[in-house]
Amino acid sequence: MNSPHMNNRPGRGAASAPILPNSSIISSRDTKAMSAFTYTSAPHRIVFGSGTLNSLTKELRGAGCKRSLVLSTPFQKNDAEELAAVLGSACAGVFANAAMHTPVEVTEQAIQVFSNSGADSIVAYGGGSTVGLGKALAFRTGCTQIVIPTTYAGSEVTPILGQTENGKKTTTRDPKILPDIVIYDPKLSATLPVKMSIASGLNAMAHAVEALYAKDRNPISSLMANEGLRSLKSALKSIYETPDNEKARSEALYGAWLCGSVLGAVGMSLHHKLCHTLGGSFDLPHAETHAILLPHTAAYNQIEAKDELKYATKLFGGNLGSGLHSFAQSIEAPLALADLGMPKRAIDTAAKLATENPYWNPRQVDLAGIHDLLTRAWEGIPPEQSKVQK
């Protein structure tokens, strides 16, 4: 795999934009006059490569950290404790209660443990749940945060925090939320179950698709989004066929970094609104919900964003919604919200919640259209072809 040039300056330096090797992506951009745009590069450090977990102690020292609290979910507690043992006296303890959708009550428990431990930093080891907890802690305490991702969600490179309280999920965007250091070690995702790998990768791809038609998109974010889609499409197919393929695992992490980076660089629209509504209100699993909704939200918005989605549409066979659905089906990804435990009667509530507050989207968001979208996603059937091709 052709790796991007990573930022190698200590601490919070301005991260360099990646070098994207795929010439077909670069040449696919329209040759119209360049519009004015603004691009802000994320100020954090990326350490990428097989075996880079071994650099954790060095990275902590370089960031001026003396004692770190290690975070994980209960499922990855043993891994977190092994990591704590490696850190030795530089570890202030382990908090292994990270939970999906970052419940505020769990964050409050973690803050108490952090305060009592004498830690000056946190090391979040795992997927989106642990990353979310780390962000919430850092946002409230101002501590240094280091993330070691073991999935492909990409949230570790965004200044965005989604939290759940009293059954409602809210989102906060702030530079203080962005992790300081991210260590990408493909070896750590080698044993990630195939189903989790696929759902996580499709979650990341959803960030890229929405970035392509974002109101504040720019040429750099679009290049990154298209390359992220290409990388993850290739990687997920290989992981499905050969789960221990380290090259594919590495390419998946690369794609996740790109997709997460564009999520942090531009605004999101319908897809993320729906996922937050379903996740916060009905406690549906985060990655699987993103994976199921992606073909349907892409089809809904493709009607008004054909030019912006031109490369992605070609990548998935000429029709983005049905192409994404067929791809998901070919790698046995989740397809139906019903299979996640969402009752059919919840469709009405979800459609109303998702449309009650106006927000920007390339296509007008209307109750009937969203109800139809959610119904098809609940049943697990492809997006309606006739609507996509208008």
Side-chain angles (χ1 to χ4, degrees), residues 34 54 94 96 115 160 196 199 210 226 258 260 266 299 321 370 378 386:
M34 181 73 69
N54 297 328
V94 173
S115 300
I160 303 167
M196 291 178 64
E210 286 241 287
N226 280 326
L258 290 169
V266 299
I370 300 307
W378 186 85
S386 61

Side-chain angles (χ1 to χ4, degrees), residues 212-226:
L212 288 170
Y213 53 65
K215 187 176 183 180
D216 54 351
R217 66 188 179 276
N218 60 72
I220 304 302
S221 65
S222 294
L223 282 171
M224 294 170 74
N226 280 326

Side-chain angles (χ1 to χ4, degrees), residues 1-7 17-22 46-50 184 186 227 230-231 246-247 250-255 257-258:
M1 183 189 72
N2 292 322
S3 297
H5 290 277
M6 302 295 180
N7 175 34
I19 292 178
L20 305 176
N22 195 308
I46 305 296
V47 183
F48 191 105
S50 182
Y184 287 110
E227 173 68 351
R230 184 204 62 78
S231 298
E246 188 171 326
K247 181 180 178 183
S250 182
E251 188 170 27
L253 272 181
Y254 166 59
W257 171 56
L258 290 169

Side-chain angles (χ1 to χ4, degrees), residues 1 114 169 198 242 332:
M1 183 189 72
F114 178 83
K169 191 165 187 176
I198 288 169
T242 315
E332 297 186 57

Side-chain angles (χ1 to χ4, degrees), residues 105 163-170 276-283 353:
E105 59 268 26
Q163 304 176 96
T164 305
E165 186 173 20
N166 299 322
K168 186 176 182 180
K169 191 165 187 176
T170 58
H276 282 190
T277 297
L278 295 176
S281 300
F282 307 106
D283 200 33
L353 287 172

Side-chain angles (χ1 to χ4, degrees), residues 26-207:
I26 296 171
S27 63
S28 70
R29 184 169 55 80
D30 289 344
T31 56
K32 298 176 183 177
M34 181 73 69
S35 300
F37 67 91
T38 299
Y39 176 76
T40 302
S41 184
H44 58 174
R45 178 174 169 84
I46 305 296
V47 183
F48 191 105
S50 182
T52 49
L53 179 63
N54 297 328
S55 68
L56 175 59
T57 301
K58 177 183 175 182
E59 293 297 328
L60 287 168
R61 283 200 304 266
C65 302
K66 299 186 183 303
R67 301 193 72 209
S68 301
L69 178 67
V70 178
L71 309 176
S72 77
T73 59
F75 177 75
Q76 291 185 298
K77 183 179 180 181
N78 290 339
D79 294 327
E81 290 177 341
E82 288 181 13
L83 189 60
V86 171
L87 292 176
S89 61
C91 180
V94 173
F95 182 86
N97 291 324
M100 187 171 61
H101 303 306
T102 318
V104 170
E105 59 268 26
V106 174
T107 299
E108 291 172 349
Q109 295 170 15
I111 289 174
Q112 190 63 48
V113 172
F114 178 83
S115 300
N116 294 338
S117 71
D120 60 4
S121 53
I122 54 173
V123 175
Y125 181 95
S129 297
T130 306
V131 174
L133 176 60
K135 288 178 171 182
L137 266 174
F139 186 49
R140 287 165 172 75
T141 67
C143 71
T144 300
Q145 58 171 324
I146 295 89
V147 179
I148 305 169
T150 59
T151 66
Y152 308 126
S155 60
E156 65 279 352
V157 286
T158 76
I160 303 167
L161 170 61
Q163 304 176 96
T164 305
E165 186 173 20
N166 299 322
K168 186 176 182 180
K169 191 165 187 176
T170 58
T171 301
T172 302
R173 180 186 285 260
D174 192 288
K176 293 184 291 185
I177 293 170
L178 184 72
D180 299 89
I181 301 169
V182 182
I183 297 176
Y184 287 110
D185 189 337
K187 289 185 176 181
L188 301 180
S189 65
T191 57
L192 185 68
V194 172
K195 286 187 176 180
M196 291 178 64
S197 299
I198 288 169
S200 179
L202 288 169
N203 178 13
M205 291 171 78
H207 308 330

